[in-house]
Amino acid sequence: MAPEAERGERIVCYAGALVGAVFATALALRAQHTWLPLTVIAVVAFDLFGGTVVNATRSAKRRFHRPGRSSRHHLGFVAVHVQPFVLALLVPGFGVLSASTVYALTLGGAAVILLAPPRDLRRPVAFAVSALAITVTSTSVAVPVELAWFAPVLVIKLLPAHLLPEDAER
């Protein structure tokens, strides 16, 4: 969360993180995961659901899109989100091929958005790329049903929520 986040932003961010984590944990419990995968799923869900909301706040937009921040910074932010590989290592049924596909679609989508000329087309490009990435990951990637939320939430957090500045004209 951005240091200058307003009280309302903090409440909405934590509520989104908590509700998402509870829902994802309930799905993982229903799938009868042991404590380690269950814990990983809960932590990843808290981060992704909360981060989706955080990245959409004005305070985060001001912080991430302040003067001096470049496409390289934004691509780096996307690249460090290696949660697909953490899930592949620790959650049965979520394989390395699935993790690699989700990661590549997200990172590749970020590159397409950041390279979109002119800059005023970044918003529609971001939504087009996000819709495509969500469709591919939802229909063509083997993911356990209890993790069906993962790729769509990751894509939304990193592509439209993080990469788009508050003002589409920037």
Side-chain angles (χ1 to χ4, degrees):
M1 201 166 315
E4 65 276 359
E6 298 170 5
R7 183 174 186 269
E9 287 178 327
R10 289 191 306 271
I11 290 169
V12 171
C13 293
Y14 284 120
L18 185 61
V19 169
V22 167
F23 181 71
T25 302
L27 292 172
L29 281 168
R30 193 171 72 189
Q32 300 181 351
H33 284 293
T34 60
W35 71 269
L36 182 58
L38 188 66
T39 303
V40 169
I41 290 168
V43 170
V44 167
F46 188 88
D47 172 56
L48 293 186
F49 281 97
T52 297
V53 180
V54 167
N55 288 348
T57 64
R58 281 189 307 236
S59 59
K61 296 291 187 184
R62 285 191 301 269
R63 181 172 182 78
F64 287 128
H65 296 277
R66 68 187 182 272
R69 302 299 289 182
S70 67
S71 291
R72 197 164 115 202
H73 292 108
H74 295 297
L75 194 60
F77 181 82
V78 173
V80 300
H81 283 77
V82 296
Q83 291 94 326
F85 299 108
V86 173
L87 292 176
L89 287 172
L90 300 172
V91 178
F94 192 88
V96 174
L97 180 59
S98 296
S100 299
T101 303
V102 170
Y103 186 81
L105 283 166
T106 306
L107 190 60
V112 168
I113 294 163
L114 292 169
L115 293 171
R119 295 186 119 198
D120 63 342
L121 290 180
R122 281 192 182 170
R123 185 168 306 278
V125 168
F127 280 91
V129 168
S130 298
L132 180 61
I134 290 168
T135 300
V136 171
T137 59
S138 298
T139 61
S140 305
V141 177
V143 175
V145 69
E146 68 273 14
L147 291 175
W149 58 268
F150 172 72
V153 176
L154 178 73
V155 167
I156 293 168
K157 173 189 177 177
L158 296 177
L159 302 187
H162 173 71
L163 293 179
L164 298 177
E166 184 71 16
D167 177 10
E169 301 304 313
R170 282 204 211 172

